[in-house]
Amino acid sequence: MQWTSWCLLEPELSLNAETLAEILNGGQTFRWNQTKDGDWVGQWSQCIARVRLDRRGIVEWSCPRKLKKQVASEIPHYFALDINYPAMIDQLPHRSDDVIADALVRWEGLRLLRQPLGETLLAFLCSSTKRITQIKIICETLANKFGEVVIDQYRALPTWAVLNELSESALRTCKMGYRARFIKGTANILAEQPNYLSGIETLSFPEARRALIALPGVGEKIADCVLLFGAGRLEAFPVDVWMLRAMARHYGLEGWKPNQVTHFGSAHFGPYAGLAQQYLFAGERKG
DNA sequence: ATCCAGGTATGCA
DNA sequence: TGCATACCTGGA
């Protein structure tokens, strides 16, 4: 396959290799893999792209020639280059909170990708009690078995319409176990209510969260992940076991329940709590 | 080998 | 409302 030459992402994104790995392979997306030269290759919707750092630590990208037009127009949105990160980061309580202040330095340049809502929902429905590597394998298997070819061996994740045509046992061949029932149930609802997902974008945060939780297999944690990673709702503060550990350690919240921690997070970090969550999460995984 | 994982739904106090 | 327990199974 023919790839375009490398170009800089604009406006420029400056970060170190560890932070780039955290963005692409830290658990917000499951569709990026590192090649032997250290480049990253990833997919979202009908896009395929490569990403790497230049000598100065600035992110550059390339894509299959045939997709140049589409990827060029979508990649700025995907990497949220139109979002004013310095302004958002400045609204986090870094002046009074050394934990977040340190994390902002340690993971400078960390950001939330803006992923397609349907794909984000699918990936996180597969995520319960699974490690990142396993979630990636499930997504890859789903794409390989049931996804549409984009180019050559690259296949997109199956659409919800396609998923709705599959049997639970067909889904189980993708190594997802009991999660197949949830995907089947959700696919059924989305097929009967074609505007369900797009409608979520128009709802207030609490309403959107409730609408997601109404889907089988979606609880509070997955709903918050879908809102944060797939709907640009930066006030979402997903709390999983990692975040429970991080918040217990840094803020003395030993023994708190997940929804108590969610409440603490939004009260303490404010409208961009999800961004703070991402910084703390990176630190908890990597120390 | 065998154990457990980035949760959710369900049933029972 | 709150807390156990089952649910699948691949990969560490």
Side-chain angles (χ1 to χ4, degrees):
Chain A
M1 182 166 67
Q2 297 259 9
W3 293 81
T4 66
S5 54
W6 294 92
C7 2
L8 289 178
L9 273 183
E10 312 252 18
E12 291 183 358
L13 210 53
S14 173
L15 22 76
N16 62 36
E18 195 186 11
T19 302
L20 181 60
E22 190 62 27
I23 293 170
L24 299 177
N25 205 30
Q28 52 171 323
T29 174
F30 305 98
R31 294 286 279 158
W32 288 83
N33 291 295
Q34 204 161 20
T35 68
K36 35 193 175 303
D37 347 306
D39 302 342
W40 293 92
V41 182
Q43 293 181 246
W44 70 97
S45 59
Q46 298 296 311
C47 290
I48 304 167
R50 292 191 303 188
V51 149
R52 70 177 187 187
L53 298 178
D54 74 3
R55 288 152 294 274
R56 301 168 297 162
I58 313 257
V59 178
E60 45 186 17
W61 68 281
S62 130
C63 71
R65 293 223 157 134
K66 285 184 206 166
L67 300 181
K68 172 145 196 191
K69 208 170 162 185
Q70 183 173 4
V71 175
S73 83
E74 289 197 26
I75 202 168
H77 182 268
Y78 183 77
F79 278 90
L81 301 176
D82 53 324
I83 304 284
N84 188 344
Y85 267 79
M88 293 197 307
I89 283 169
D90 194 51
Q91 302 235 162
L92 296 178
H94 59 92
R95 294 172 185 81
S96 55
D97 178 347
D98 286 341
V99 174
I100 197 67
D102 291 348
L104 290 174
V105 173
R106 164 87 164 80
W107 299 99
E108 189 174 358
L110 189 69
R111 56 180 47 231
L112 278 337
L113 300 170
R114 287 219 299 267
Q115 302 175 66
L117 182 56
E119 295 189 352
T120 311
L121 175 61
L122 175 59
F124 280 92
L125 272 171
C126 299
S127 73
S128 66
T129 59
K130 287 282 181 196
R131 296 179 180 153
I132 290 171
T133 52
Q134 295 175 299
I135 303 166
K136 288 173 73 172
I137 289 170
I138 296 171
C139 289
E140 188 176 359
T141 310
L142 272 169
N144 287 340
K145 290 197 175 204
F146 304 117
E148 183 187 334
V149 170
V150 183
I151 293 182
D152 296 347
Q153 77 275 30
Y154 293 93
R155 288 173 178 268
L157 285 172
T159 63
W160 280 105
V162 167
L163 292 167
N164 189 45
E165 299 303 316
L166 299 174
S167 65
E168 183 179 325
S169 60
L171 288 167
R172 278 178 187 256
T173 64
C174 298
K175 312 179 182 187
M176 66 176 70
Y178 64 84
R179 299 158 196 83
R181 187 165 43 87
F182 296 146
I183 291 185
K184 193 71 190 121
T186 289
N188 185 40
I189 292 175
L190 298 186
E192 286 179 0
Q193 299 177 61
N195 297 321
Y196 199 97
L197 278 188
S198 55
I200 281 177
E201 317 260 16
T202 71
L203 299 176
S204 69
F205 180 80
E207 291 170 333
R209 194 171 190 259
R210 268 194 295 277
L212 284 168
I213 290 173
L215 298 169
V218 180
E220 298 185 318
K221 188 270 180 183
I222 290 180
D224 286 335
C225 286
V226 172
L227 288 168
L228 183 59
F229 305 132
R233 303 297 183 99
L234 271 55
E235 65 265 57
F237 193 84
V239 173
D240 53 29
V241 296
W242 293 92
M243 200 47 41
L244 235 32
R245 288 195 277 261
M247 298 300 282
R249 190 146 63 84
H250 295 304
Y251 296 93
L253 308 188
E254 280 87 6
W256 286 43
K257 302 292 172 279
N259 59 7
Q260 297 176 306
V261 174
T262 296
H263 186 79
F264 178 96
S266 60
H268 182 64
F269 296 114
Y272 307 119
L275 184 56
Q277 182 269 0
Q278 207 62 15
Y279 276 90
L280 299 174
F281 185 81
E284 190 62 24
R285 290 179 63 245
K286 295 289 184 127

